[in-house]
């Protein structure tokens, strides 16, 4: 990945650090930060100073001080982002939300959870499961990704095609403005027409407009997995046809519809000492991972098998494997989720995530893949993603690195015009600032810049993210 570094500032003086400690407790210095997982960007800990407020009120006082002293503040959740959204610089502070995790309140009647920003997705999943409920969002980094971070980046994930992204999961939120003002928009109801949608504005703002402290999250019924299957097809169009067929047949009980290019799946399998042939997938350039949930009658697997047989009889499917046990199901999901092993395969890996309208998906893939493979020799091109919503993850492995822009020039042109997006899940951060200014309309860019200037006039909140420095 590219390493775009913020402009370095002078280190903070001891007098300021003393004031910070008086407000929010001991600061973590560079020597202690070495014990923390730095995440995916080399500059995540570049500030060398981190503080973890214990309460919302400490956070408010801390931001008031930083705003008065013009100290940049970069908020950290689980540091699972891939676009440099949590990169910091000397002269600023890292504000970790890890201590804002005092509890999870579940309202099983209203199907709402009230959670602190530092709570992990997995912790909420477990708490909701005790009431037979689910937050309706899931992704591989569930064990470390925090709810505040997921809201700030408007995360999507596996279930977005049926329940929406994080913005769609939120009923309300509480956040702190740059000047330390606490703003509570923590509604628990779906219908709320009381002015501007501040929750929608903060969700996806990447910590540039305010710092999320608490969230009201919609919950969905939790259902057990009924069947998990891995299909293989010769073309994207065949894969899409069966994915749509499954959506029509199983509706909201279809939990996942994931696509994996064979080269990606084979590489992940090999890194785990396995092969696709060993589980019965001998051919097919495109794999479809589908999972259904149990029915009220408890016959979900039987219904899936019956439908699978019909797909074979109709000639829509010629190669498919139904997971026979939890171990095989786990392996299917490892193929989809363990993309991190690519960082062990290649010295340099560039990661992209785009959204493509389903009608354009086949043509788009056939256009980009050969061009990416011509960038270098050798080069690894790995594509996978959430098929039902058109979100593709594209990872490019190289022995000798190339500028990120060389790949963007292949992946991004035409996406906006066709109704897609050059960033589907991970936001803009540092890495996609230039693309943000190039592939958006000037009016949209200027409108967002005006909102940023209004809410954070001194530009202390995650400065340098989303907008190019010349536009700040």
């Amino acid at each position: 990945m590219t390493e775009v570094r913020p402009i370095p500032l002078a280190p903070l003086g001891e007098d300021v650090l003393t004031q910070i400690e008086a407000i929010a407790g001991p600061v973590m210095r560079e020597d202690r930060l070495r014990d923390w997982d730095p995440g995916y960007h080399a500059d995540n800990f570049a500030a060398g100073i981190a503080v973890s407020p214990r309460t919302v009120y400490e956070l408010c006082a801390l931001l008031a001080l930083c705003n008065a002293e013009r100290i940049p503040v970069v908020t950290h959740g689980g540091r699972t982002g891939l676009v440099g959204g949590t990169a910091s610089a000397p002269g600023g502070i890292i504000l970790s939300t890890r201590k804002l995790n005092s509890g999870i309140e579940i309202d099983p009647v209203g199907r709402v959870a009230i959670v602190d920003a530092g709570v992990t997705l997995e912790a909420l999943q477990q708490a909701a499961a005790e009431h037979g409920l689910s937050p309706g969002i899931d992704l591989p980094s569930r064990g470390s990704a925090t709810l505040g971070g997921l809201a700030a980046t408007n995360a999507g994930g596996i279930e977005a095609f049926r329940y929406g992204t994080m913005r769609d999961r939120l009923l309300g939120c509480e956040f702190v403005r740059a000047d330390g003002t606490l703003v509570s928009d923590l509604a628990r109801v779906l219908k709320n027409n009381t002015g501007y949608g501040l929750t929608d504005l903060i969700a996806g703002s990447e910590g540039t407009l305010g710092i999320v402290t608490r969230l009201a999250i919609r919950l969905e019924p939790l259902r057990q997995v009924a069947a998990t299957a891995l299909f293989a097809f010769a073309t994207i169009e065949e894969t899409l046809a069966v994915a749509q067929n499954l959506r029509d047949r199983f509706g909201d009980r279809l939990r996942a519809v994931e696509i994996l290019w064979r080269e990606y799946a084979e590489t992940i399998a090999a890194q785990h000492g396995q092969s696709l042939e060993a589980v019965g997938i001998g051919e097919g350039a495109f794999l479809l991972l589908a999972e259904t949930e149990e029915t009220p009658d408890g016959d979900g697997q039987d219904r899936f098998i019956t439908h699978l047989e019909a797909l074979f009889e109709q000639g829509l499917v010629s190669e498919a494997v139904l997971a026979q046990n939890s171990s095989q199901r786990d392996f299917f999901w490892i193929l989809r989720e363990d993309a991190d092993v690519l960082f062990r395969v290649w010295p340099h890996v560039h990661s992209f995530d785009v959204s493509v309208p389903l009608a354009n998906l086949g043509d788009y893939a056939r256009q980009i893949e050969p061009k990416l493979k011509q960038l270098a020799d050798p080069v690894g091109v790995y594509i996978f993603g959430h098929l039902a919503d058109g979100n593709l993850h594209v990872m490019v492995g190289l022995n000798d690195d190339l500028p990120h822009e060389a790949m963007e020039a292949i992946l991004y042109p035409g996406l906006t015009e066709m109704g897609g997006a050059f960033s589907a899940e991970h936001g803009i951060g540092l890495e996609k600032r230039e693309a943000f200014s190039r592939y958006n309309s000037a009016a949209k860019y200027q409108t967002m810049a005006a909102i940023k200037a209004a809410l954070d006039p001194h530009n202390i909140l995650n400065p340098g993210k989303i907008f190019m420095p010349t536009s700040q």
Side-chain angles (χ1 to χ4, degrees):
M1 278 176 271
T2 55
E3 295 187 7
V4 184
R5 294 176 179 268
I7 298 172
L9 303 172
L12 293 176
E14 288 298 325
D15 56 335
V16 173
L17 292 177
T18 299
Q19 294 180 66
I20 290 174
E21 289 190 323
I23 292 170
V27 300
M28 300 283 284
R29 309 280 180 139
E30 189 173 2
D31 55 341
R32 294 189 62 192
L33 287 175
R34 294 194 189 101
D35 297 332
W36 288 13
D37 180 356
Y40 291 95
H41 198 280
D43 287 339
N44 276 347
F45 290 156
I49 296 292
V51 62
S52 302
R54 294 155 293 192
T55 68
V56 171
Y57 305 105
E58 286 186 357
L59 195 156
C60 290
L62 179 63
L63 279 189
L65 171 66
C66 291
N67 192 58
E69 299 292 334
R70 310 296 191 261
I71 300 170
V73 178
V74 178
T75 308
H76 281 201
R79 290 181 293 280
T80 58
L82 300 177
V83 294
T86 50
S88 62
I93 66 168
I94 298 159
L95 194 155
S96 170
T97 61
R98 65 192 182 97
K99 291 184 179 178
L100 298 179
N101 63 352
S102 60
I104 302 172
E105 177 189 344
I106 303 292
D107 172 8
V109 177
R111 293 182 176 177
V112 178
I114 305 296
V115 298
D116 290 341
V119 172
T120 65
L121 173 58
E122 187 172 61
L124 174 58
Q125 289 173 330
Q126 292 172 349
E130 295 179 5
H131 300 272
L133 298 169
S134 162
I137 188 167
D138 192 23
L139 35 78
S141 58
R142 60 187 70 84
S144 51
T146 64
L147 275 306
L150 294 179
T153 57
N154 189 32
I158 297 162
E159 300 183 80
F161 75 97
R162 63 175 181 169
Y163 293 139
T165 62
M166 194 66 184
R167 184 179 280 128
D168 301 299
R169 306 307 310 147
L170 297 180
L171 293 173
C173 79
E174 177 188 87
F175 65 97
V176 183
R177 286 177 12 197
D179 63 1
T181 300
L182 181 65
V183 181
S184 182
D185 193 28
L186 209 57
R188 301 183 182 215
V189 292
L190 179 62
K191 293 181 177 179
N192 177 12
N193 251 344
T194 55
Y196 296 151
L198 298 182
T199 295
D200 288 345
L201 181 63
I202 294 300
S205 64
E206 302 183 45
T208 64
L209 301 181
I211 297 178
V212 175
T213 53
R214 296 174 74 204
L215 299 159
I217 300 176
R218 300 169 64 182
L219 301 176
E220 305 292 340
L222 176 66
R223 306 173 182 130
Q224 298 301 311
V225 171
T228 308
L230 194 62
F231 301 79
F233 302 94
T235 69
I236 292 178
E237 284 72 21
E238 291 171 345
T239 314
L240 277 166
V242 170
Q244 188 59 52
N245 180 289
L246 294 173
R247 292 187 72 181
D248 291 342
R249 173 63 181 84
F250 295 101
D252 70 349
R253 291 186 183 272
L254 183 64
R255 178 180 180 271
V257 194
E258 303 287 302
I259 187 170
L260 299 76
W261 267 238
R262 189 178 189 91
E263 183 175 356
Y264 168 76
E266 285 181 334
T267 302
I268 304 303
Q271 289 296 306
H272 287 271
Q274 301 280 352
S275 70
L276 299 182
E277 291 78 6
V279 295
I281 300 295
E283 300 178 359
F286 304 94
L287 278 60
L288 178 70
L289 175 59
E291 188 162 271
T292 61
E293 295 175 336
E294 192 54 88
T295 65
D297 296 331
D299 59 351
Q301 186 176 76
D302 292 339
R303 290 191 180 194
F304 186 84
I305 292 172
T306 298
H307 189 67
L308 182 59
E309 291 171 347
L311 292 174
F312 272 102
E313 291 173 2
Q314 296 166 21
L316 295 175
V317 172
S318 61
E319 194 173 9
V321 179
L322 182 70
Q324 299 300 305
N325 50 53
S326 59
S327 295
Q328 195 168 46
R329 174 182 179 261
D330 290 345
F331 175 64
F332 288 176
W333 277 106
I334 283 173
L335 293 177
R336 166 57 184 87
E337 295 188 333
D338 198 14
D340 276 359
V341 303
L342 296 177
F343 291 93
R344 299 199 296 266
V345 176
W346 295 93
H348 306 280
V349 178
H350 292 256
S351 181
F352 304 85
D353 76 304
V354 298
S355 280
V356 186
L358 294 182
N360 303 89
L361 195 65
D363 289 340
Y364 176 80
R366 284 185 287 270
Q367 174 186 337
I368 66 165
E369 192 170 9
K371 291 180 179 179
L372 290 171
K373 289 184 175 180
Q374 292 171 5
L375 285 173
D377 185 18
V379 61
V381 177
Y382 307 98
I383 308 176
F384 57 99
H386 313 294
L387 182 59
D389 56 32
N391 175 197
L392 295 182
H393 297 284
V394 182
M395 301 180 73
V396 181
L398 301 157
N399 283 338
D400 299 310
D401 205 10
L402 290 172
H404 205 69
E405 294 74 23
M407 287 146 268
E408 290 182 341
I410 294 172
L411 294 167
Y412 294 167
L415 274 175
T416 302
E417 290 76 9
M418 74 174 68
F422 64 86
S423 182
E425 292 188 306
H426 294 295
I428 307 300
L430 287 176
E431 193 170 272
K432 298 181 182 180
R433 294 182 306 177
E434 185 175 345
F436 177 69
S437 64
R438 178 179 299 174
Y439 296 105
N440 275 316
S441 70
K444 177 178 178 179
Y445 191 97
Q446 292 164 3
T447 301
M448 288 181 57
I451 294 171
K452 167 68 171 173
L455 292 182
D456 182 16
H458 301 308
N459 193 28
I460 69 161
L461 295 180
N462 215 3
K465 313 303 170 23
I466 300 181
F467 304 100
M468 296 294 290
T470 54
S471 299
Q472 295 173 3

